[in-house]
Amino acid sequence: MFEHTQQVLKPLRDWNYAIPRCSYEDWYITMTLYEKYGKKNILDIGSFTGANTVYFAYLAKMKGNTVHSIDNWSQAHKAGVSVKRARQLFYSYLDLLEVRDYVVLKEKEVEDINDDDLKDVDFIFHDILHVRTEGIIDLIKRVKSKTIFILDDVDRDTRYLNDIIHHRNVKEFHRTQRRSYMTIFASEDDEFVVEELSKADAQRKTVI
């Protein structure tokens, strides 16, 4: 297991069993992919509580990078939580690891993501819920350089997923029940290795 994932992020994740909702396997794969291959900033789309953002932010801090978090607070409204309280929750997680300064929160619609949001980004984590497939493909078309692209919650909405993974600039290199792991503009020589977990670790789940 990678140094920062093992020493700092795993203990926090073990303590915080309620979130994120993903399996231990998906959490581990996602974090180690950025720790191993990410050289630039992260675009975190659909951050809501910051449950994933806090881990990204710590790794970004170690690399001298920034997490650009996008959210329109639709999930907060659905949960009956005010935007003010949702912001407080978001920042409270970042403060656990003192990484608030490494995150830029942008309150906007996914469709309003622009070239500035994608500047100096080589890792995109995208929650697929409540997003049109056409919107995801439009986003992929705006990516101009080699990028790891992870779609979360693909098990909840599998419509048109093949249209995404078969886009001419996209290559899916791993799939779990919940997430699709892809690259955009990767060459034939690029290899993105998914680290193997022990059988026991791979079967660990969060309680939610």
Side-chain angles (χ1 to χ4, degrees):
M1 183 176 287
F2 280 66
E3 180 182 358
H4 300 305
T5 301
Q6 180 182 30
Q7 293 182 359
V8 179
L9 301 186
K10 184 178 181 293
L12 176 63
R13 206 268 186 187
D14 289 345
W15 165 77
N16 189 13
Y17 273 113
I19 53 177
R21 297 184 306 268
C22 65
S23 68
Y24 180 79
E25 178 187 25
D26 274 320
W27 176 86
Y28 174 78
I29 291 171
T30 301
M31 296 305 141
T32 53
L33 280 173
Y34 182 67
E35 187 169 3
K36 185 174 182 180
Y37 299 109
K39 295 179 174 61
K40 300 179 182 179
N41 298 329
I42 301 173
L43 185 61
D44 175 24
I45 304 173
S47 51
F48 186 24
T49 63
N52 288 295
T53 312
V54 63
Y55 304 114
F56 289 139
Y58 185 84
L59 295 177
K61 177 182 178 180
M62 296 300 99
K63 293 170 176 283
N65 295 335
T66 301
V67 181
H68 296 275
S69 290
I70 308 291
D71 206 291
N72 62 2
W73 303 120
S74 62
Q75 288 290 85
H77 294 305
K78 184 178 179 180
V81 178
S82 70
V83 172
K84 180 180 179 180
R85 292 290 292 169
R87 285 196 203 101
Q88 290 174 337
L89 180 60
F90 177 85
Y91 285 116
S92 68
Y93 281 110
L94 301 181
D95 290 340
L96 284 171
L97 294 181
E98 299 180 344
V99 292
R100 183 189 287 230
D101 292 341
Y102 296 88
V103 176
V104 177
L105 176 61
K106 302 179 181 181
E107 300 177 27
K108 62 198 299 184
E109 301 292 335
V110 174
E111 291 79 9
D112 295 329
I113 292 174
N114 55 39
D115 290 342
D116 285 339
D117 299 319
L118 293 166
K119 186 178 180 181
D120 296 324
V121 165
D122 68 357
F123 193 98
I124 299 174
F125 182 82
H126 196 323
D127 190 325
I128 199 173
L129 286 181
H130 313 300
V131 179
R132 295 180 299 106
T133 300
E134 294 84 355
I136 297 174
I137 293 177
D138 287 344
L139 175 64
I140 289 172
K141 289 178 179 178
R142 289 202 295 272
V143 174
K144 304 301 182 185
S145 58
K146 184 170 63 179
T147 301
I148 292 178
F149 188 82
I150 301 174
L151 274 181
D152 191 26
D153 288 329
V154 295
D155 58 320
R156 295 189 177 192
D157 189 351
T158 58
R159 295 172 300 172
Y160 312 119
L161 181 58
N162 284 338
D163 291 342
I164 297 170
I165 64 176
H166 291 146
H167 186 274
R168 66 182 180 277
N169 295 328
V170 172
K171 179 180 180 181
E172 186 181 49
F173 62 90
H174 190 68
R175 172 89 67 89
T176 61
Q177 179 180 355
R178 193 148 203 162
R179 291 182 180 173
S180 174
Y181 298 84
M182 297 170 274
T183 56
I184 307 172
F185 282 119
S187 70
E188 293 297 325
D189 296 329
D190 289 317
E191 289 189 16
F192 296 90
V193 179
V194 174
E195 300 294 322
E196 293 293 328
L197 291 171
S198 69
K199 185 176 181 180
D201 274 344
Q203 292 176 343
R204 292 177 58 179
K205 302 288 183 180
T206 51
V207 182
I208 192 166

